[in-house]
Structure formats: structure tokens, C-alpha cells
Amino acid sequence: MSMPIAPAIPTTPAERLRWALSDAWVVSGRELIHWVRNPVVILNTLLFPLIMVLLFGYVFGSAMRVAGGGDYREFLMPGMFGQTMVFGVISTVYVVAANAARGVTDRFRSMPVSSFGVLMGRVIADMLTSTLDLVILMLCGLLVGWRAHHGLGSALAAAGLLLLLRFALVWVGICMGLRLTPEGAGAAWMPLFPLTLLANTFVSPELMPAWLRIIAEWNPLSATVQACRELFGSPGLSGGSWAAEHAIELAIGWPLLITVIFLPLSIRRYRRLNR
Amino acid sequence: MTRFAIEAEGLRKRYGDTHALAGFDLAVAEGTVCGLLGPNGAGKTTAVRILSTLLLPDGGTARVAGFDVVGDPAQVRYRIGLAGQQTSVDEILTGRENLRMWARLFRLGPREAKRRTDELLEWFGLAGAADKRVKHYSGGMRRRLDLAASFILAPRVLFLDEPTTGLDPRSRTEVWRAVRDLVAQGTTVLLTTQYLDEADRLAHQIAVLDAGMVIADGSPSRLKSMIGGDQIDVVVRDAADLPSAARIIARVADASPEIDPDAARVTAPVKDPLEAITVTARELRDAGLQVEDLTLRRPTLDEVFLSLTGRGAGADGDRPAAEKGMVRP
């Protein structure tokens, strides 16, 4: 049997980056095969948004009013997009925790694989599935009357902001996943669910008590959702507060801040895993 | 001069108040198998994790395949393979996809990754199941795939953390064969195990670990001779004959015989094995005792372990299993 010869360990930053990207490509390929071969996950991806749209759009929507008037379902859809981006964290946390518990992470770490590459692989896979989530959800939205009134460019910009939030949250998910057991990861939705409601997702902050309104308006999710409503031309824009007036800036700033904090934390945690 | 593939000196690791390793020393010669033996919590897995660069030690030094595990982990990682307690193979992927992914992560080019994958599948007897998803594999097949994955670059040093725990006897034999083949190609293996017969069969060197330190280190036969030479075992048909059998054995024995009434067995260490067995056989026959079994043997590793640590390898007095040399955690 002829033994393969390993290439020399890279020394220049450019080579290291090339290797990290090649590792990321291989790892994301694995994650995507998982996703494609798991019919339950696909069904979830397709059905969950549809159920949520019908539930909130029609069941709750019949009793909801939008501050400043307008169609509730048009108001709701940007909120649903944002909530879906946040809920994506749950699957990130779970997969990362499961890989660590099953020894997959240990094998990666005992190999000369770039740690940044492995984590980027996770990010790429999550971003691709989230993009698909978003596309499906937008199609659902079109069916119930949501429209992007300011044209394709603005709509794409809004989608970009949503995915930027998702990108930042993937790093939060990796960080949490590396600390939790898969069982613990299953409980990740518990703190997330209220966080997605203490925002402008389903109810205009103007209709909330003053103290709650402040929390809701400064919630990073609200910034993204408010920015999307601006870009889509949806009804029910909040107004008055600084946060509401600078939604687009905040929708870029919050995710960048989260990434700056959690990306290095994730890489550090990954390198020092000592369970 | 012997070259060492693994050299550890004074490794220490503490978790809170627990000293997982308290001055761990080990030297394993190139091309040999070292069995790391010890009860649960003795520090076996911690030692393997430090030597395979997964965990930083609090103190001490270790070199694996010539490189420092703390100072030069990337070089070490190119030269080691690790098969942990859980098989890290991916259930959703097929065997072939698993190996190809790991080969790509070891930076083999696409063509080389494919060639090496086919070769390893063949060599580990998985070619027939290569395109089945791993979730349909048996336990033994998974372990072999896991071994194949840790062998993509033909590692100089292979770490196996309890490679056959939970496997049926046939699968264990398959894994043992694979390990022997790897060693025949010059790989050094560090193997942790709770199965004494596994260490006895595979290892050239055995290090017994207790409370984070190596308390005995040497070849299996040297360890066995540490607690004395040969033993004579007599099993009688009728337990009522045990005292008479013990009296006969006492005449040739080096120490007073031990009687195990449940097994109807008398055991004693002897100095001159040939003399002992001849005399014992004759006298047992003359006394007219019904003898089921008369054997001369070296002490088992379990007995070595018991005498070194004051408890069995299972650490919880799991005697019946221990006697078969298969101590489960």
C-alpha cells in the first residue's frame, strides 16, 4: 500500500487562508448532505414557516391592529422573517453540541484542520439553509398578501440585513453549542422565544407600556425588522424614538457588534475545548 | 538506541480539586503497542487527550512523534491518528463519503483522496458496504471505519481510547486484527482499555495507571512476574474434597494455598513448576480425589492489577467478569 504524503504545513497567511477556505468547503459539504438526507428537517423547514404565517396571520391577525393603520399580515411578515432568523440559532446550537458530544469535534481538533475553517464550514451551511428558509417564507408571504413595495433592490437589501443578523447569531449559536450538551441545546428556544416577542415582530411597540416599549425598540431584532419594513414599504413603522429612526444603521451595527464579540469567543472556545 | 514515539514527563492536569493526572511519565518505543490500563477515573482518557493535543496540560512535557504537543501541535496532528471512545463516524454519510471527507481535511487532493479511500475501504474489509450509509453498519464495522479514518495519513502514532468497549467478541477480533496490521506497518499504538485480555494480547508494554500516575510499567510477562511466578490451579469435582486437595498442594507450594469454594478450586504459587505438577498429579490420584482440572499458569493481569492497586480493574469488585478477563466499566 502506498502511503499518501501530506502537503507541508502552510507558513504564509495567504496559504493559511486558502486552507481554511478549503476546510470550510469540505465541512459545509458534509453539513449540507446531512440537511438534504434528513426529510424531517426539510419538512420542518417547509412547514414551520407556513404554519406560523397562517397562525399569526389569520388566527391572531384577526384581532390585531397595526399602529397607524394598514394590513396586519403586511406588517407581520417582516417580523416573521426576523423571528425565523433568530430561531435558526436553535439548530446551530444543537448541531454544534451534537458534534462535540459524538466525538466529531475531537476528531477535527486532533487533525491539522484550520479551526476557523471548521467553524466557517458551519456558518456557510447555516447561511445556505437560512437563505432557503427565507425564500420559502417570502413565498408564503406573497400568498397571504405581503408585497415588497419599493422594488427588487430594496427587497434584496432587506434580505441582506436579515441574513446579516443570522450570520451574527450563528456565532452566538456556535459559542453556546460548544458549552452545552445536546440535551441542553434542546432548551435553547426557551430564552429565544420571549426575546423574539419582546420586539416589534408581532405588535407595534407604540401599543406597549412605556418600559416595555424601550426594551422592544432597542432589541437588535427590532432594528432588523424595522429596517426591513422601511425597505419593503410595509405598514406599521414605529416612530419617535432614536432607535426607530435609525433602524438601518442599527440593523447593520447590532450584528457587527455581536459578530465582533462572539466570533473570537467561538474560535477561542473551539481551540480550548476541554470536555 | 531505542527511539521513542511517545515521551511524557511529569504531566499534570487538574479539574477543580481532582488531579486527573498527577505526574504522568511514559515512554513508548517506536513500532510497539503500549496498553494503558487502569480503573475508571485513573486518568487514561486525560492522558490520551493531552498526548493527542486536544487538551493542554497544567504542567510537565510530552513529545509525540518527535514534536512537543504544546509547542508544536500542528506538526503532531499531522503524525497522529485518534479513535476515541465514541466512534466519530458520520451516520448520515456513507462509509466512502466519510473517508473521503476526512482525506480531504488531511489536505489530500481530490484524486489522491479517492485513491486512498478505496484503498482503506478494501483494507479494512468495508469495500462491500462502502456506499451504504453508516447508520446501517454494525458496531464492528463502525469501529473499523473509525480506525480507517484515523489511518488516512498512515500515522506514526495512533491513539485508541477503549477501541473495543461495547463490541461483541467477533467485532473485537476484527478490530484487533486491524490494529496488528497497522503495527506491522510501523505505527506506534497507545491503547487504553479496561479489558485485561485485550492488553495482554495486543500490547508489548503495559502501563498501569492509578490516581493519575503510572504505578507499574513493563512487558506483560514482566508485570506478571512482579507478583510472583507460576501458579498451580486444581479444581475438584466435590467441594468437600477441597481441604484434602489444599493439603496436597501445600507440600509443593511457595505460600499457603487459596481456596475458592464457589469454583471448587485451590490455587497456590509454586517455585518449581514441573516438580509441582508431577507431584500434585500423583498425590491427587493416590488420594483418590476426583479432579476436574489441573493447570499450571502465570498470574492473570487482573491478579497483577489487584495486587498493584488493591482492587480489580473494574474497581467495583466485579469478580465474575474479572476472572474471564473482561471487566466492564
Side-chain angles (χ1 to χ4, degrees):
Chain A
M1 189 155 67
S2 64
M3 294 302 173
I5 294 157
I9 291 176
T11 43
T12 67
E15 271 180 331
R16 270 206 288 273
L17 180 66
R18 199 170 61 77
W19 280 35
L21 292 179
S22 129
D23 290 343
W25 176 247
V26 176
V27 173
S28 63
R30 163 186 189 262
E31 306 292 349
L32 288 173
I33 292 179
H34 271 235
W35 192 79
V36 169
R37 290 195 186 157
N38 201 334
V40 178
V41 175
I42 295 180
L43 206 65
N44 253 342
T45 314
L46 296 171
L47 278 185
F48 186 72
L50 193 67
I51 291 171
M52 291 295 275
V53 169
L54 294 177
L55 215 62
F56 282 92
Y58 291 92
V59 178
F60 292 100
S62 324
M64 292 287 199
R65 66 189 177 85
V66 179
D71 178 53
Y72 180 70
R73 283 186 291 280
E74 281 235 60
F75 168 82
L76 170 72
M77 284 317 295
M80 296 284 314
F81 301 152
Q83 189 189 44
T84 304
M85 294 299 107
V86 174
F87 280 171
V89 176
I90 298 170
S91 79
T92 307
V93 175
Y94 177 76
V95 176
V96 171
N99 280 342
R102 282 207 318 256
V104 176
T105 307
D106 274 355
R107 165 147 280 156
F108 282 134
R109 290 179 66 240
S110 76
M111 290 170 67
V113 178
S114 142
S115 42
F116 182 67
V118 171
L119 298 183
M120 270 315 287
R122 169 86 260 142
V123 174
I124 292 170
D126 279 351
M127 293 310 292
L128 288 176
T129 53
S130 296
T131 307
L132 189 67
D133 278 350
L134 195 56
V135 168
I136 293 169
L137 200 57
M138 285 182 167
L139 292 176
C140 293
L142 289 173
L143 288 179
V144 301
W146 164 80
R147 294 289 179 271
H149 298 282
H150 293 339
L152 188 65
S154 296
L156 287 178
L161 289 178
L162 287 163
L163 291 173
L164 181 66
L165 179 68
R166 178 74 179 101
F167 175 81
L169 293 178
V170 176
W171 293 105
V172 177
I174 291 174
C175 222
M176 284 167 72
L178 289 176
R179 283 166 193 278
L180 293 172
T181 59
E183 295 76 25
W189 67 272
M190 272 198 287
L192 284 176
F193 191 62
L195 274 178
T196 64
L197 291 175
L198 290 173
N200 59 2
T201 37
F202 298 100
V203 179
S204 307
E206 278 93 332
L207 308 176
M208 299 178 183
W211 60 273
L212 199 59
R213 179 176 171 176
I214 295 172
I215 297 175
E217 281 181 335
W218 283 94
N219 186 333
L221 174 60
S222 295
T224 303
V225 171
Q226 168 90 350
C228 286
R229 285 187 182 132
E230 273 183 54
L231 290 164
F232 291 138
S234 315
L237 281 180
S238 343
S241 69
W242 189 91
E245 300 294 332
H246 297 80
I248 293 187
E249 290 89 328
L250 281 176
I252 296 170
W254 272 123
L256 289 184
L257 180 68
I258 295 171
T259 308
V260 165
I261 295 171
F262 283 92
L263 188 150
L265 275 181
S266 298
I267 292 184
R268 197 182 130 90
R269 180 76 197 154
Y270 175 84
R271 289 194 177 143
R272 306 203 148 199
L273 263 190
N274 55 1
R275 293 188 274 204
Chain B
M1 199 185 98
T2 319
R3 299 211 301 161
F4 293 104
I6 301 172
E7 292 171 276
E9 266 175 53
L11 286 181
R12 282 180 287 108
K13 183 74 192 178
R14 207 173 73 175
Y15 294 107
D17 289 339
T18 320
H19 290 269
L21 287 184
F24 173 88
D25 300 311
L26 186 69
V28 182
E30 274 186 0
T32 65
V33 180
C34 174
L36 206 52
L37 221 62
N40 285 333
K44 300 187 298 283
T45 298
T46 306
V48 167
R49 292 180 66 85
I50 289 175
L51 293 173
S52 57
T53 77
L54 292 179
L55 192 61
L56 288 176
D58 294 336
T61 58
R63 295 175 75 79
V64 171
F67 292 93
D68 190 282
V69 295
V70 178
D72 230 340
Q75 295 285 359
V76 173
R77 286 175 195 149
Y78 260 118
R79 290 166 176 81
I80 63 168
L82 170 70
Q85 286 185 18
Q86 318 103 321
T87 51
S88 58
V89 291
D90 195 316
E91 299 212 326
I92 311 279
L93 305 186
T94 66
R96 189 189 303 281
E97 287 168 338
N98 262 290
L99 284 182
R100 204 173 291 177
M101 175 184 72
W102 301 116
R104 296 286 285 140
L105 288 175
F106 271 119
R107 308 303 176 0
L108 300 186
R111 194 177 305 166
E112 179 68 357
K114 182 183 177 310
R115 187 192 68 80
R116 185 63 175 160
T117 297
D118 292 344
E119 197 170 58
L120 287 171
L121 286 168
E122 191 67 43
W123 197 50
F124 282 90
L126 293 166
D131 296 310
K132 274 194 206 158
R133 289 196 200 171
V134 171
K135 66 175 167 192
H136 303 300
Y137 279 26
S138 70
M141 288 163 79
R142 280 170 202 230
R143 291 292 166 117
R144 278 183 284 144
L145 184 62
D146 204 38
L147 275 180
S150 52
F151 205 60
I152 285 165
L153 281 192
R156 300 260 304 276
V157 180
L158 180 62
F159 295 99
L160 300 175
D161 195 4
E162 305 199 0
T164 64
T165 300
L167 290 189
D168 61 50
R170 190 169 148 248
S171 306
R172 295 176 74 205
T173 318
E174 287 171 356
V175 171
W176 290 344
R177 182 194 66 80
V179 172
R180 285 200 191 95
D181 286 352
L182 302 187
V183 175
Q185 300 202 24
T187 295
T188 307
V189 175
L190 182 68
L191 164 99
T192 77
T193 183
Q194 304 228 3
Y195 299 118
L196 299 156
D197 66 330
E198 183 163 279
D200 212 359
R201 275 169 205 236
L202 286 177
H204 303 98
Q205 173 190 359
I206 287 178
V208 180
L209 201 56
D210 192 34
M213 284 163 73
V214 174
I215 55 168
D217 184 6
S219 67
S221 56
R222 188 176 152 254
L223 282 192
K224 287 177 191 172
S225 58
M226 275 174 69
I227 64 154
D230 296 281
Q231 308 252 339
I232 193 163
D233 273 4
V234 174
V235 180
V236 290
R237 184 163 298 167
D238 185 355
D241 289 338
L242 280 172
S244 335
R247 267 196 306 279
I248 291 168
I249 290 173
R251 285 177 219 152
V252 295
D254 215 17
S256 60
E258 274 179 42
I259 298 176
D260 180 350
D262 295 332
R265 182 172 52 208
V266 184
T267 302
V270 292
K271 260 211 190 89
D272 183 346
L274 196 62
E275 171 75 7
I277 200 149
T278 330
V279 171
T280 311
R282 193 175 56 229
E283 298 209 354
L284 286 172
R285 192 192 54 203
D286 292 352
L289 299 185
Q290 299 270 9
V291 176
E292 292 271 313
D293 199 9
L294 170 61
T295 49
L296 197 61
R297 62 174 177 88
R298 315 219 68 190
T300 64
L301 274 174
D302 194 48
E303 286 163 326
V304 175
F305 204 85
L306 201 62
S307 82
L308 286 170
T309 65
R311 54 187 191 276
D316 44 11
D318 192 4
R319 285 304 297 172
E323 274 162 13
K324 281 179 259 151
M326 291 183 52
V327 182
R328 290 187 178 276

